[in-house]
Amino acid sequence: DGGITQSPKYLFRKEGQNVTLSCEQNLNHDAMYWYRQDPGQGLRLIYYSQIVNDFQKGDIAEGYSVSREKKESFPLTVTSAQKNPTAFYLCASSITGQGAGDTQYFGPGTRLTVL
Amino acid sequence: DQQVKQNSPSLSVQEGRISILNCDYTNSMFDYFLWYKKYPAEGPTFLISISSIKDKNEDGRFTVFLNKSAKHLSLHIVPSQPGDSAVYFCAATYRNSGNTPLVFGKGTRLSVIA
Protein backbone atom coordinates (compact mmCIF):
# COMPACT_ATOMS: atom_id res chain seq x y z
CA ASP A 1 0.00 0.00 0.00
CA GLY A 2 1.39 3.37 -1.02
CA GLY A 3 0.91 6.27 1.28
CA ILE A 4 2.13 8.56 4.00
CA THR A 5 2.50 7.37 7.56
CA GLN A 6 2.91 9.45 10.67
CA SER A 7 3.73 8.07 14.06
CA PRO A 8 2.68 8.09 16.74
CA LYS A 9 -0.98 9.10 16.47
CA TYR A 10 -0.91 10.67 19.94
CA LEU A 11 2.16 12.01 21.68
CA PHE A 12 2.62 13.52 25.11
CA ARG A 13 5.65 15.34 26.34
CA LYS A 14 6.67 17.35 29.34
CA GLU A 15 7.31 21.03 28.99
CA GLY A 16 10.96 21.75 28.16
CA GLN A 17 11.56 18.50 26.30
CA ASN A 18 12.30 18.11 22.62
CA VAL A 19 10.22 15.60 20.68
CA THR A 20 10.50 14.22 17.15
CA LEU A 21 7.51 13.41 14.96
CA SER A 22 7.96 10.82 12.27
CA CYS A 23 6.77 11.09 8.65
CA GLU A 24 7.44 8.43 6.03
CA GLN A 25 6.17 8.11 2.46
CA ASN A 26 6.56 5.34 -0.11
CA LEU A 27 5.01 7.29 -2.99
CA ASN A 28 8.42 8.22 -4.44
CA HIS A 29 7.50 11.88 -4.03
CA ASP A 30 10.26 14.46 -4.13
CA ALA A 31 8.61 17.10 -1.95
CA MET A 32 7.47 16.84 1.66
CA TYR A 33 5.80 19.31 4.00
CA TRP A 34 4.93 19.85 7.65
CA TYR A 35 1.84 21.74 8.75
CA ARG A 36 0.30 22.57 12.07
CA GLN A 37 -3.43 22.82 12.65
CA ASP A 38 -4.94 24.76 15.54
CA PRO A 39 -8.67 25.33 16.06
CA GLY A 40 -9.88 28.11 13.76
CA GLN A 41 -6.43 28.57 12.24
CA GLY A 42 -6.52 26.28 9.25
CA LEU A 43 -3.24 24.74 8.09
CA ARG A 44 -0.05 26.66 8.70
CA LEU A 45 3.19 25.65 6.98
CA ILE A 46 6.15 24.91 9.26
CA TYR A 47 8.84 23.56 6.92
CA TYR A 48 9.03 22.02 3.48
CA SER A 49 11.57 20.15 1.43
CA GLN A 50 11.63 19.86 -2.34
CA ILE A 51 14.61 17.54 -2.54
CA VAL A 52 16.80 15.42 -0.33
CA ASN A 53 19.26 17.37 1.85
CA ASP A 54 17.42 20.63 1.26
CA PHE A 55 14.55 22.32 3.10
CA GLN A 56 13.00 25.75 3.56
CA LYS A 57 11.23 27.51 6.40
CA GLY A 58 7.51 28.02 6.15
CA ASP A 59 5.39 30.63 7.88
CA ILE A 60 5.87 29.42 11.45
CA ALA A 61 9.29 27.70 11.60
CA GLU A 62 10.42 29.16 14.92
CA GLY A 63 10.92 26.47 17.54
CA TYR A 64 10.98 23.64 15.00
CA SER A 65 13.71 21.81 13.09
CA VAL A 66 13.70 19.24 10.29
CA SER A 67 16.05 17.01 8.34
CA ARG A 68 15.75 15.34 4.95
CA GLU A 69 18.46 12.72 4.72
CA LYS A 70 16.33 10.27 2.76
CA LYS A 71 13.71 10.85 0.08
CA GLU A 72 11.08 8.90 1.99
CA SER A 73 11.56 10.48 5.42
CA PHE A 74 11.04 14.00 6.77
CA PRO A 75 11.08 14.04 10.60
CA LEU A 76 10.03 17.15 12.51
CA THR A 77 11.54 18.04 15.88
CA VAL A 78 9.51 20.25 18.17
CA THR A 79 12.04 21.93 20.42
CA SER A 80 11.62 23.44 23.85
CA ALA A 81 11.85 26.85 22.17
CA GLN A 82 8.39 26.37 20.62
CA LYS A 83 6.11 28.37 22.89
CA ASN A 84 2.79 26.70 22.08
CA PRO A 85 3.59 23.21 20.86
CA THR A 86 0.25 21.56 21.64
CA ALA A 87 -1.41 21.07 18.24
CA PHE A 88 -2.30 18.62 15.50
CA TYR A 89 0.66 18.10 13.16
CA LEU A 90 0.20 17.05 9.54
CA CYS A 91 2.78 15.79 7.09
CA ALA A 92 2.21 15.90 3.33
CA SER A 93 4.04 15.03 0.14
CA SER A 94 3.78 15.86 -3.54
CA ILE A 95 5.40 14.51 -6.69
CA THR A 96 7.51 17.60 -7.05
CA GLY A 97 7.69 20.89 -5.25
CA GLN A 98 8.12 22.88 -8.42
CA GLY A 99 4.74 24.52 -8.62
CA ALA A 100 2.83 23.40 -11.70
CA GLY A 101 -0.18 22.84 -9.51
CA ASP A 102 1.29 19.98 -7.61
CA THR A 103 -1.30 18.23 -5.46
CA GLN A 104 -0.28 17.44 -1.90
CA TYR A 105 -1.30 14.22 -0.17
CA PHE A 106 -1.54 14.14 3.60
CA GLY A 107 -0.76 11.67 6.31
CA PRO A 108 -3.17 10.90 9.19
CA GLY A 109 -1.58 13.41 11.58
CA THR A 110 -0.04 13.37 15.07
CA ARG A 111 -1.72 15.01 18.03
CA LEU A 112 0.99 16.45 20.31
CA THR A 113 0.06 17.47 23.83
CA VAL A 114 2.51 19.20 26.13
CA LEU A 115 1.81 18.60 29.79
CA ASP B 1 -2.23 39.02 5.54
CA GLN B 2 -4.42 36.17 4.37
CA GLN B 3 -4.00 35.41 0.70
CA VAL B 4 -6.74 32.76 0.69
CA LYS B 5 -9.91 33.51 2.62
CA GLN B 6 -12.85 31.35 3.53
CA ASN B 7 -15.17 33.83 5.17
CA SER B 8 -17.80 31.38 6.36
CA PRO B 9 -16.52 29.30 9.28
CA SER B 10 -19.53 27.03 9.12
CA LEU B 11 -22.45 26.01 6.90
CA SER B 12 -25.49 23.80 7.53
CA VAL B 13 -27.41 22.17 4.68
CA GLN B 14 -30.26 19.70 4.47
CA GLU B 15 -29.50 16.28 3.03
CA GLY B 16 -30.21 16.18 -0.69
CA ARG B 17 -29.83 19.93 -1.17
CA ILE B 18 -26.90 21.80 -2.67
CA SER B 19 -23.92 22.86 -0.55
CA ILE B 20 -21.95 25.87 -1.76
CA LEU B 21 -18.62 26.64 -0.15
CA ASN B 22 -16.86 29.86 -1.07
CA CYS B 23 -13.25 30.96 -1.23
CA ASP B 24 -11.64 34.29 -2.14
CA TYR B 25 -8.01 35.00 -2.91
CA THR B 26 -5.99 38.18 -3.15
CA ASN B 27 -2.87 37.11 -5.04
CA SER B 28 -3.52 37.52 -8.77
CA MET B 29 -0.56 35.26 -9.53
CA PHE B 30 -2.41 32.20 -8.23
CA ASP B 31 -3.37 30.00 -11.15
CA TYR B 32 -4.16 26.63 -9.62
CA PHE B 33 -6.71 25.95 -6.92
CA LEU B 34 -7.59 22.90 -4.87
CA TRP B 35 -10.23 21.79 -2.40
CA TYR B 36 -9.52 19.40 0.45
CA LYS B 37 -11.91 17.67 2.83
CA LYS B 38 -10.94 16.92 6.41
CA TYR B 39 -12.56 14.79 9.10
CA PRO B 40 -11.62 15.34 12.78
CA ALA B 41 -8.28 13.84 13.83
CA GLU B 42 -7.47 12.81 10.24
CA GLY B 43 -5.35 14.26 7.47
CA PRO B 44 -7.05 16.25 4.67
CA THR B 45 -7.94 14.37 1.52
CA PHE B 46 -7.76 15.91 -1.93
CA LEU B 47 -11.18 16.49 -3.51
CA ILE B 48 -10.94 18.45 -6.73
CA SER B 49 -8.80 21.09 -8.40
CA ILE B 50 -9.06 23.68 -11.14
CA SER B 51 -6.57 25.48 -13.32
CA SER B 52 -6.99 29.16 -14.15
CA ILE B 53 -7.42 28.29 -17.82
CA LYS B 54 -10.80 26.82 -16.92
CA ASP B 55 -13.84 28.25 -15.19
CA LYS B 56 -15.42 24.96 -14.17
CA ASN B 57 -14.33 21.47 -13.26
CA GLU B 58 -16.66 18.64 -12.35
CA ASP B 59 -16.13 15.30 -10.63
CA GLY B 60 -19.24 13.39 -9.72
CA ARG B 61 -21.19 15.32 -7.11
CA PHE B 62 -18.45 17.93 -6.79
CA THR B 63 -18.04 20.95 -9.06
CA VAL B 64 -15.61 23.80 -8.63
CA PHE B 65 -16.24 27.16 -10.29
CA LEU B 66 -13.57 29.81 -10.78
CA ASN B 67 -14.23 33.50 -11.37
CA LYS B 68 -10.82 35.02 -12.06
CA SER B 69 -12.00 38.59 -12.38
CA ALA B 70 -13.57 38.41 -8.94
CA LYS B 71 -10.75 36.28 -7.53
CA HIS B 72 -13.37 33.89 -6.25
CA LEU B 73 -13.96 30.18 -6.38
CA SER B 74 -16.70 27.98 -5.07
CA LEU B 75 -17.26 24.30 -4.45
CA HIS B 76 -20.73 22.91 -5.14
CA ILE B 77 -21.81 19.57 -3.72
CA VAL B 78 -25.00 18.14 -5.21
CA PRO B 79 -26.77 16.33 -3.68
CA SER B 80 -25.34 16.78 -0.19
CA GLN B 81 -25.03 13.66 1.94
CA PRO B 82 -24.46 13.22 5.69
CA GLY B 83 -21.00 11.77 4.95
CA ASP B 84 -20.05 15.12 3.40
CA SER B 85 -20.05 16.66 6.89
CA ALA B 86 -16.43 17.74 7.37
CA VAL B 87 -14.16 20.78 7.23
CA TYR B 88 -13.37 21.93 3.69
CA PHE B 89 -10.15 23.77 2.90
CA CYS B 90 -9.50 25.85 -0.17
CA ALA B 91 -5.85 26.10 -1.33
CA ALA B 92 -4.01 27.98 -4.05
CA THR B 93 -0.63 28.08 -5.74
CA TYR B 94 0.97 29.29 -8.95
CA ARG B 95 2.74 27.40 -11.69
CA ASN B 96 6.43 27.62 -12.27
CA SER B 97 6.77 29.14 -8.86
CA GLY B 98 9.74 26.91 -8.17
CA ASN B 99 9.45 27.41 -4.51
CA THR B 100 5.92 28.14 -3.41
CA PRO B 101 3.88 25.55 -1.54
CA LEU B 102 0.11 25.61 -1.33
CA VAL B 103 -1.54 28.46 0.57
CA PHE B 104 -4.55 27.28 2.56
CA GLY B 105 -7.64 29.07 3.79
CA LYS B 106 -8.87 28.57 7.35
CA GLY B 107 -11.59 26.15 6.36
CA THR B 108 -15.40 25.94 6.40
CA ARG B 109 -17.16 23.35 8.52
CA LEU B 110 -20.03 21.78 6.57
CA SER B 111 -22.83 20.03 8.44
CA VAL B 112 -25.30 18.03 6.35
CA ILE B 113 -28.47 17.41 8.30
CA ALA B 114 -30.49 14.28 7.60
Side-chain angles (χ1 to χ4, degrees):
Chain A
D1 262 77
I4 304 172
T5 56
Q6 291 184 243
S7 60
K9 180 72 173 173
Y10 299 95
L11 188 57
F12 298 88
R13 78 149 210 226
K14 292 182 179 178
E15 197 169 343
Q17 290 180 337
N18 291 356
V19 63
T20 298
L21 282 60
S22 167
C23 178
E24 304 278 331
Q25 54 97 1
N26 60 4
L27 300 167
N28 200 33
H29 286 176
D30 284 330
M32 297 186 74
Y33 311 81
W34 274 105
Y35 292 89
R36 166 181 175 143
Q37 186 189 17
D38 296 282
Q41 291 293 322
L43 303 178
R44 294 188 290 169
L45 182 66
I46 304 172
Y47 267 99
Y48 63 104
S49 168
Q50 294 176 309
I51 196 167
V52 174
N53 292 322
D54 188 40
F55 49 82
Q56 288 81 41
K57 292 182 179 180
D59 301 320
I60 55 166
E62 186 176 350
Y64 299 97
S65 66
V66 293
S67 62
R68 187 85 188 277
E69 296 176 2
K70 298 185 295 182
K71 186 176 186 178
E72 57 270 22
S73 179
F74 191 40
L76 174 75
T77 297
V78 184
T79 75
S80 56
Q82 168 50 231
K83 294 179 182 177
N84 297 296
T86 294
F88 189 54
Y89 290 87
L90 288 159
C91 179
S93 71
S94 60
I95 294 174
T96 75
Q98 298 299 318
D102 216 17
T103 302
Q104 292 180 21
Y105 298 91
F106 285 83
T110 292
R111 166 76 61 188
L112 172 64
T113 302
V114 175
L115 305 171
Chain B
D1 184 33
Q2 273 189 273
Q3 297 187 72
V4 177
K5 300 179 184 179
Q6 294 178 256
N7 292 318
S8 298
S10 63
L11 174 68
S12 289
V13 173
Q14 288 281 343
E15 181 180 6
R17 307 294 287 267
I18 184 171
S19 295
I20 300 176
L21 295 96
N22 294 304
C23 179
D24 298 296
Y25 60 96
T26 57
N27 190 337
S28 57
M29 292 184 67
F30 287 148
D31 61 6
Y32 191 75
F33 305 88
L34 307 89
W35 284 95
Y36 285 83
K37 174 182 179 180
K38 186 183 181 301
Y39 293 118
E42 294 184 11
T45 55
F46 169 70
L47 261 183
I48 192 169
S49 62
I50 188 167
S51 162
S52 60
I53 61 174
K54 296 184 176 181
D55 53 19
K56 176 183 174 181
N57 189 27
E58 194 172 351
D59 184 1
R61 296 186 297 115
F62 302 92
T63 303
V64 55
F65 295 92
L66 176 63
N67 182 333
K68 291 185 288 295
S69 61
K71 296 192 182 70
H72 176 83
L73 63 154
S74 60
L75 175 68
H76 293 211
I77 306 174
V78 184
S80 300
Q81 300 172 353
D84 295 330
S85 297
V87 176
Y88 289 80
F89 290 99
C90 171
T93 187
Y94 43 94
R95 288 196 177 93
N96 302 318
S97 64
N99 229 12
T100 303
L102 297 177
V103 179
F104 284 87
K106 292 189 175 183
T108 296
R109 181 178 302 279
L110 173 65
S111 299
V112 180
I113 304 163

